[in-house]
Amino acid sequence: MTTHQPTFRLATLGAAMCAALLMTACGGGDDDPSFKTLDGKQPQVIAHRGYSGMYPEQTRMAYEKAADAGADMLELDMHMTRDCQLVARHNAWLSDSTNIADVAKTNATVAARKRTTKGVLVNVKYPAIPANGPSQYLSDLVEPGNQKSVLKALIVDGEDHSNDWSISDFTMQELRDWIAGTTLDNRADRPTEWNGKLPLISAQDVIDIAAAKGKSLGRSIPVYAETKNPYWNNQQAIANGCGSGSHPFEDAVMALLEKNKLNSKDSAIYIQSFDPDSLKYLRKAGMKAKGVQLIDGNDFDLKDGSMVYITTDEWTFISGRPYSWTLAGDARTFAVMQTPAGLAEIKTYADGIGPWKPQILAHSVVPFKEGAGLKDVNTLKDTGLIANAHKAGLIVHSFTFRNEARRLAGIYKGDPVQEFLAYYRLGIDGVFTDFTPTGVKARDAYIAELKNQ
């Protein structure tokens, strides 16, 4: 059963909040703080796509700057190129995090590769009732029976990206030579000096950067790599002639682990995915490295902080449930992964979970007022997810911590350090952040707080 902690408000942030949430966690000797993490060590600051709050994400500069700023791990997303290489990029489409639209103005080859074919609607296999979301989803298999036809439309896990460029239409060398990265999240609030100036890099490049930086800084810097949109990547890879099986994407991940001698429980790498099928396949294929099941959601109800997974649009398929569940006719949502039974199931194939922040601390407005938004959140409530995950033997790494005021619940009064502290005090094992220095600063404050109890 989930144990709920008392709610707390802005006035109690600080020592009183600590007492309300972590009566036992805030002890510890002056020289030896007592952490509530699963292993008893300090929480990890995970550089989300590098130091992406200041530099174009998933570029060499972003990763090197994150390491220099004290990141414990370097996080990346992996997709597969036309020539079957693993590239570090968040989205399968390229226009929102690269300068490809500008490149296409003068590069006819790039311009010609824009995908304009429309997807086709497919009926869901589970009961087509409102409680399960839309009754149809978009597919890129525009010619049934013709695997190659998935290379025409740009539909990723039910999400329509027509009139954009697919990462699977370019070789790794073409991406390096032609395309450069830009900021993605909160782009209007972030520096643009390096946009369009830093080339895209491979997953191997990130491993090499982590190793080189670790050597120069005198510490181990693990890589935290995600298998993004695994079903889509596998179907694209098969159509592009990559590998001989049904999972060329995960097979490439296995090859990456073996090549770098990272396929052991204690290796400096984590493999994460929102789709359990990807992690389960990797385990069956012999992956011994640490795995993390990411847990998504679509929204939260500010009346009581409850999570929203089912929507009336394609977001049900994108963030409401693993896409493999939609394909299999499984109408469950990510909510089931947070139950004791769901956590026990995850423990059979992964070492941890990566939930969205409000799944750990429920956000609400009390008393509720119509039209309220994130800026009005004045109440946070521990859902017990960290405690339950730790009880199941799972680490907890949550996403994504950002500095911008409009990304922060109103209770934090525009101070991102306070958000980090709220989660550190709950015993979180690690945080994904776009701003490494802020995560490190908040952790230092947390450690000082523990020593002073």
Side-chain angles (χ1 to χ4, degrees):
M1 179 179 292
T2 300
T3 302
H4 294 281
Q5 298 288 345
T7 61
F8 60 92
R9 300 174 188 276
L10 181 61
T12 62
L13 280 169
M17 176 175 130
C18 182
L21 291 177
L22 296 177
M23 291 295 290
T24 62
C26 297
D30 291 339
D31 299 318
D32 184 22
S34 177
F35 299 104
K36 273 192 79 174
T37 52
L38 185 61
D39 63 4
K41 299 179 182 178
Q42 68 179 19
Q44 301 290 285
V45 176
I46 307 162
H48 185 241
R49 309 177 205 161
Y51 192 169
S52 56
M54 291 295 290
Y55 306 95
E57 62 173 36
Q58 304 200 68
T59 59
R60 177 174 294 275
M61 180 175 284
Y63 287 117
E64 291 180 341
K65 294 292 186 179
D68 290 340
D72 297 301
M73 299 185 234
L74 304 181
E75 193 265 356
L76 73 146
D77 307 302
M78 297 184 295
H79 283 285
M80 208 163 193
T81 64
R82 190 176 70 184
D83 59 337
C84 317
Q85 305 299 306
L86 294 172
V87 59
R89 195 97 308 248
H90 177 60
N91 288 331
W93 53 96
L94 291 166
S95 67
D96 60 1
S97 66
T98 77
N99 65 342
I100 195 166
D102 289 333
V103 172
K105 294 175 183 177
T106 57
N107 186 320
T109 301
V110 170
R113 292 186 189 175
K114 179 185 281 190
R115 293 195 185 184
T116 58
T117 301
K118 299 296 182 182
V120 296
L121 285 170
V122 177
N123 294 329
V124 298
K125 295 179 181 178
Y126 42 73
I129 58 176
N132 290 336
S135 60
Q136 295 181 311
Y137 61 93
L138 276 175
S139 169
D140 58 5
L141 188 63
V142 295
E143 300 172 20
N146 179 10
Q147 178 66 29
K148 291 276 188 183
S149 71
V150 301
L151 300 176
K152 296 181 177 182
L154 187 45
I155 309 296
V156 184
D157 293 2
E159 189 173 3
D160 187 2
H161 284 279
S162 300
N163 298 311
D164 208 329
W165 290 266
S166 174
I167 204 162
S168 58
D169 288 340
F170 296 84
T171 67
M172 189 64 238
Q173 196 59 51
E174 288 173 339
L175 291 171
R176 290 186 194 278
D177 293 344
W178 294 342
I179 314 300
T182 62
T183 54
L184 176 58
D185 297 305
N186 291 80
R187 68 186 74 186
D189 304 319
R190 296 183 176 181
T192 59
E193 175 186 1
W194 293 100
N195 281 358
K197 298 177 182 178
L198 305 174
L200 304 196
I201 61 177
S202 69
Q204 181 63 56
D205 290 332
V206 181
I207 291 174
D208 293 343
I209 291 167
K213 274 296 179 180
K215 184 177 181 180
S216 66
L217 295 171
R219 59 189 175 88
S220 174
I221 304 178
V223 167
Y224 208 123
E226 180 183 351
T227 59
K228 287 288 293 186
N229 308 110
Y231 177 80
W232 181 86
N233 268 294
N234 278 315
Q235 298 310 302
Q236 295 287 303
I238 292 170
N240 277 326
C242 299
S244 57
S246 60
H247 288 76
F249 182 42
E250 285 87 359
D251 291 342
V253 174
M254 285 299 302
L256 185 74
L257 293 173
E258 296 294 350
K259 174 185 176 182
N260 291 279
K261 297 181 172 56
L262 291 173
N263 193 24
S264 68
K265 190 75 170 178
D266 298 323
S267 294
I269 196 166
Y270 286 77
I271 300 297
Q272 56 178 329
S273 185
F274 283 104
D275 207 308
D277 277 16
S278 186
L279 293 172
K280 289 179 179 180
Y281 176 86
L282 285 165
R283 286 296 186 212
K284 290 179 181 178
M287 186 181 81
K288 299 180 180 65
K290 296 177 286 292
V292 172
Q293 173 66 60
L294 300 174
I295 303 176
D296 213 347
N298 272 310
D299 203 350
F300 45 90
D301 189 337
L302 290 176
K303 292 180 180 178
D304 59 8
S306 60
M307 295 299 303
V308 176
Y309 298 95
I310 301 300
T311 66
T312 58
D313 57 18
E314 69 273 11
W315 282 100
T316 288
F317 310 117
I318 300 165
S319 298
R321 62 172 65 93
Y323 191 61
S324 63
W325 289 6
T326 290
L327 297 175
D330 187 341
R332 295 178 300 163
T333 71
F334 279 108
V336 302
M337 292 185 178
Q338 299 160 67
T339 65
L343 293 169
E345 163 67 13
I346 290 171
K347 182 60 178 174
T348 66
Y349 64 86
D351 302 277
I353 59 171
W356 187 23
K357 292 180 299 185
Q359 292 166 335
I360 292 173
L361 278 174
H363 292 41
S364 61
V365 177
V366 180
F368 180 74
K369 56 182 180 181
E370 292 298 331
L374 185 62
K375 63 180 175 55
D376 302 302
V377 168
N378 58 10
T379 304
L380 304 176
K381 188 174 183 180
D382 178 14
T383 65
L385 182 56
I386 290 178
N388 287 338
H390 284 176
K391 185 176 181 180
L394 296 165
I395 57 172
V396 182
H397 296 153
S398 188
F399 62 91
T400 302
F401 290 75
R402 298 182 168 102
N403 281 12
E404 289 85 7
R406 64 188 180 93
R407 289 282 196 169
L408 296 169
I411 195 170
Y412 301 122
K413 292 292 187 181
D415 182 0
V417 168
Q418 295 304 317
E419 182 179 47
F420 282 99
L421 284 171
Y423 288 82
Y424 286 156
R425 289 165 179 151
L426 284 175
I428 200 163
D429 301 281
V431 291
F432 294 95
T433 178
D434 292 358
F435 295 88
T436 296
T438 310
V440 173
K441 176 184 177 182
R443 184 175 62 192
D444 288 345
Y446 174 53
I447 292 172
E449 180 181 280
L450 291 181
K451 288 182 177 180
N452 291 326
Q453 295 304 311

